[in-house]
Amino acid sequence: MEQRSILVVDDELLIRDLLYDFFTEQGWDITIAESGEKALEILRNKEVDLLLTDLKMPDMDGLALTDRVRASYPDMPVVIMTGYPSVDSAVSALRQKVADYIIKPFNINQLYKSVEEKISEKRGEGH
Amino acid sequence: MSVQHTGKLLIAEKDSAICDTLVEYFRQVGYEVWGVKVRSEIVAQALDKGCGVIILDYHLSAGEHPEILDQLIRADASACVILITSYPLIELVIDAYRRGASDVVPKPLDLFEMSEVVERAFKQHELKKVYGYVRRNLDRVKQLMEEELRERPVGSHA
């Protein structure tokens, strides 16, 4: 199986560290960013399979980042994580065709399963 | 001048007042519309009429029968299902879109909002149809290429 690559965007250092360690252990190529602007800058120079982003961040939230990313990479799956779930934001995510909406605190194995599935779908694996 | 729409729309809603109002409204703006108020008839009606978009009352589909949404999507991969619900819970919305719903709209319904949601769903339905067509053709091309490679004598070049 070809190596998976993801970009994780979260303003919380703890979450970035947790996900970096976990996905690195799985042998994935993981890049982290602390803001939407930083994520966009990374994407200009690096191709990734999936964007995993926090919803509530200062400056640019996860849905605004999804919008910006979609403009340049329409096929990139986006998974949203949030510690502040709401019906409104979940419906907005649904309308933006976000691949999944994960509530924090999350079970890391479930998050892994979701992300892995979305990447497999994108690559057309298992068809 | 109002815009006239096209497309086949099914409204599955147990509440007669809501169902009839939606049927009437969407018929007036040009869609071909059918209403169904009984759970057991939803999938058959959607298939029989060839509906590209289905408005589905969550509580008509859920409870002991959450599989109706799955059945609708399995029966026609290009169908777009819009769930409407009086009990918009975050878990419901997440579950709905993991199952493949196109949209979730909390009640009470606003007809203008519903109109936009339905229009968006029909656009999505068209895209899904094109995607399905392209995918089938790519699969066919792949199959033909594999057959040709298998039949080609070892050591020959194209």
Side-chain angles (χ1 to χ4, degrees), chain B residues 15-32:
Chain B
D15 184 313
S16 289
I18 296 175
C19 189
D20 296 345
T21 303
L22 290 174
V23 168
E24 188 55 33
Y25 175 77
F26 283 108
R27 198 165 278 159
Q28 277 179 18
V29 294
Y31 293 107
E32 282 186 80

Side-chain angles (χ1 to χ4, degrees), chain B residues 33-155:
Chain B
V33 194
W34 295 270
V36 53
K37 295 162 190 164
V38 184
R39 178 187 289 148
S40 58
E41 293 174 7
I42 298 171
V43 179
Q45 281 276 358
L47 284 177
D48 184 45
K49 310 295 185 198
C51 295
V53 174
I54 299 117
I55 296 177
L56 178 62
D57 174 42
Y58 182 79
H59 296 279
L60 190 60
S61 71
E64 304 126 47
H65 301 272
E67 72 280 3
I68 290 182
L69 173 59
D70 303 338
Q71 285 173 0
L72 285 168
I73 292 168
R74 218 170 25 238
D76 177 1
S78 68
C80 290
V81 182
I82 299 160
L83 284 179
I84 52 177
T85 178
S86 304
Y87 307 98
L89 302 172
I90 184 78
E91 292 80 8
L92 181 155
V93 178
I94 295 172
D95 179 62
Y97 84 69
R98 283 184 181 157
R99 284 170 180 272
S102 294
D103 215 322
V104 177
V105 184
K107 292 178 187 173
L109 302 176
D110 172 331
L111 283 176
F112 292 107
E113 185 193 5
M114 280 307 289
S115 196
E116 284 177 6
V117 168
V118 166
E119 197 176 337
R120 206 161 46 225
F122 270 110
K123 282 182 186 157
Q124 197 186 340
H125 168 61
E126 290 304 317
L127 284 175
K128 282 182 168 186
K129 279 202 300 192
V130 171
Y131 175 79
Y133 176 79
V134 170
R135 176 114 217 172
R136 281 192 300 279
N137 279 287
L138 280 176
D139 287 346
R140 180 70 186 134
V141 168
K142 194 176 158 198
Q143 187 190 351
L144 288 171
M145 286 173 74
E146 282 170 358
E147 281 171 15
E148 195 186 326
L149 282 172
R150 271 198 303 274
E151 285 163 13
R152 188 177 294 170
V154 177

Side-chain angles (χ1 to χ4, degrees), chain A residues 13-29:
Chain A
L13 177 62
L14 190 70
I15 300 287
R16 292 201 302 274
D17 283 351
L18 168 79
L19 293 173
Y20 184 84
D21 290 346
F22 178 81
F23 282 102
T24 301
E25 269 181 36
Q26 309 303 314
W28 288 32
D29 172 16

Side-chain angles (χ1 to χ4, degrees), chain A residues 1 15 20 43 64 77 96 105:
Chain A
M1 192 172 70
I15 300 287
Y20 184 84
L43 285 173
Q96 285 196 29

